[in-house]
Amino acid sequence: METNVKAGSTENKAKKSRFSSQLWFIWLCLLPVIVLVLTFTYYPVVRGITLAFQDYNLMHVKNVKFIGFDNFKTIFHDNQFILALKNSLKWVFYSLIAQFILGFILALVLNKPFKGRGIYQGLVFYSWALSGFLIGLIFKWLYNSQIGVINDLLLRAGIIKTRIGFLSDPHWAMFSVISANVWYGIAFFAIMLLAALQSIPGELFEAADIDGAGWLRKLFNVIIPYIMPTIITTTLLRVIWIFSDPTLIYSMTNGGPAGLTNIVSSFMLSKVFGNGEYGLGSAVGIVMMIMLMLYTIFYLFATKSEKAGDF
């Protein structure tokens, strides 16, 4: 009896030893990932929050000090920031509406079988593979008042008599950057909505045909309700991306003329890289993060969708 107890005790110790060694091995494998995540994700977040409450300027690095909420007071009393905030709302609203409508139409077209559909899909999706900065440079050349293709085509067609400075004229600048953003984002909605359309069971359309439903009735009673989770999720993501991505504006106008095309994210870049005001830039970043968090909570609550993460 005593021998059996000792044997059982020895076996338990061996199991615990093996489990302990396996646990250490697992942690050893996870250690590089943990270090990378802490270094490149959480440390920048913590550092950015800290900078938002400091007077940190590259011109006065030795005089860094905590100033509380002074950076936030400064930006909310800055007319350029208020203008950038208004521009951001226009930038997101008009870009999103146009991107979604055109992307949805394109997805409906590409969902129909026709000769060469794969080639057309590749051409449509190609734009999404390009960087926003590169697309901004392309449109900057297209809108150039002297050698731009758009001015040349409008002159040849007799629509205009003199060249238009699309990116320098206050009346055209915001429209020009929004149109470039619309072109850039159509592909995203086309890709995601096309995938959702292709997942609709054919039986639903057969039942609709039996009921004598027309195309519009199928659209509003079959297609849109079925792909609504995808619409909710893609719209949520696209708003966040449009609001926080300054690359198009940065490469096309750099916020000009006179800050009329600045959005909040490009305004933040101008503070950080233009003036070296890391404290003010970080404060703008915190404001952006809070705005996006509030938007996400409100949006998910307003849509009341339990399947917002389904595609």
Side-chain angles (χ1 to χ4, degrees), residues 236-298:
L236 172 66
L237 293 174
R238 195 69 191 120
V239 167
I240 294 172
W241 293 343
I242 294 173
F243 183 82
S244 58
D245 186 9
T247 51
L248 266 175
I249 288 179
Y250 188 76
S251 58
M252 289 182 69
T253 63
N254 197 20
L260 292 177
T261 59
N262 251 337
I263 58 174
V264 176
S265 54
S266 63
F267 177 82
M268 179 183 66
L269 284 185
S270 68
K271 290 296 180 183
V272 174
F273 297 112
N275 303 334
E277 297 174 323
Y278 280 71
L280 286 174
S282 297
V284 176
I286 298 298
V287 172
M288 286 178 58
M289 185 172 64
I290 293 173
M291 291 178 65
L292 290 175
M293 288 175 62
L294 292 175
Y295 158 74
T296 303
I297 294 170
F298 172 78

Side-chain angles (χ1 to χ4, degrees), residues 18-69:
R18 286 197 299 272
F19 177 76
S20 179
S21 62
Q22 290 174 355
L23 189 62
W24 276 108
F25 178 73
I26 291 171
W27 278 108
L28 190 64
C29 292
L30 290 175
L31 184 60
V33 178
I34 293 172
V35 171
L36 289 174
V37 171
L38 290 175
T39 303
F40 295 104
T41 302
Y42 292 104
Y43 172 74
V45 172
V46 174
R47 181 58 177 155
I49 294 174
T50 304
L51 284 172
F53 298 93
Q54 292 179 334
D55 180 15
Y56 193 106
N57 193 307
L58 285 184
M59 304 302 293
H60 310 285
V61 178
K62 294 183 179 180
N63 296 325
V64 176
K65 57 183 178 181
F66 282 92
I67 56 174
F69 290 91

Side-chain angles (χ1 to χ4, degrees), residues 77-97:
H77 285 87
D78 189 339
N79 292 330
Q80 285 295 317
F81 175 76
I82 302 301
L83 177 61
L85 194 57
K86 293 177 181 178
N87 286 340
S88 293
L89 298 178
K90 296 178 184 178
W91 168 255
V92 172
F93 179 78
Y94 292 116
S95 296
L96 180 72
I97 295 298

Side-chain angles (χ1 to χ4, degrees), residues 31-276:
L31 184 60
V33 178
I34 293 172
V35 171
L36 289 174
V37 171
L38 290 175
T39 303
F40 295 104
T41 302
Y42 292 104
Y43 172 74
V45 172
V46 174
R47 181 58 177 155
I49 294 174
T50 304
L51 284 172
F53 298 93
Q54 292 179 334
D55 180 15
Y56 193 106
N57 193 307
L58 285 184
M59 304 302 293
H60 310 285
V61 178
K62 294 183 179 180
N63 296 325
V64 176
K65 57 183 178 181
F66 282 92
I67 56 174
F69 290 91
D70 286 357
N71 283 327
F72 296 93
K73 293 177 183 178
T74 300
I75 61 173
F76 279 108
H77 285 87
D78 189 339
N79 292 330
Q80 285 295 317
F81 175 76
I82 302 301
L83 177 61
L85 194 57
K86 293 177 181 178
N87 286 340
S88 293
L89 298 178
K90 296 178 184 178
W91 168 255
V92 172
F93 179 78
Y94 292 116
S95 296
L96 180 72
I97 295 298
Q99 287 177 9
F100 175 77
I101 293 175
L102 296 175
F104 191 21
I105 293 173
L106 194 56
L108 290 171
V109 172
L110 292 176
N111 193 42
K112 299 291 183 181
F114 58 88
K115 189 175 181 180
R117 183 173 66 166
I119 297 174
Y120 284 105
Q121 288 178 350
L123 293 174
V124 170
F125 300 160
Y126 175 73
S127 63
W128 189 245
L130 299 175
S131 71
F133 189 83
L134 178 59
I135 289 174
L137 291 178
I138 293 172
F139 273 89
K140 185 176 181 178
W141 282 103
L142 290 175
Y143 281 125
N144 188 281
S145 59
Q146 300 300 319
I147 58 173
V149 174
I150 294 176
N151 264 300
D152 185 59
L153 292 175
L154 293 176
L155 284 169
R156 290 174 183 271
I159 298 175
I160 60 174
K161 294 182 179 180
T162 58
R163 295 181 178 273
I164 300 174
F166 286 102
L167 300 180
S168 58
D169 189 329
H171 297 95
W172 286 98
M174 199 64 196
F175 167 81
S176 300
V177 293
I178 288 175
S179 63
N181 195 35
V182 169
W183 183 87
Y184 182 36
I186 289 173
F188 170 75
F189 280 109
I191 293 168
M192 303 308 297
L193 296 179
L194 177 60
L197 289 173
Q198 292 177 342
S199 68
I200 301 176
E203 293 82 0
L204 295 179
F205 292 108
E206 293 175 3
D209 289 332
I210 294 174
D211 291 340
W215 185 84
L216 282 177
R217 191 176 169 188
K218 289 179 184 178
L219 177 65
F220 289 102
N221 293 345
V222 178
I223 296 175
I224 292 180
Y226 192 90
I227 67 172
M228 185 56 68
T230 302
I231 293 175
I232 292 172
T233 307
T234 51
T235 304
L236 172 66
L237 293 174
R238 195 69 191 120
V239 167
I240 294 172
W241 293 343
I242 294 173
F243 183 82
S244 58
D245 186 9
T247 51
L248 266 175
I249 288 179
Y250 188 76
S251 58
M252 289 182 69
T253 63
N254 197 20
L260 292 177
T261 59
N262 251 337
I263 58 174
V264 176
S265 54
S266 63
F267 177 82
M268 179 183 66
L269 284 185
S270 68
K271 290 296 180 183
V272 174
F273 297 112
N275 303 334

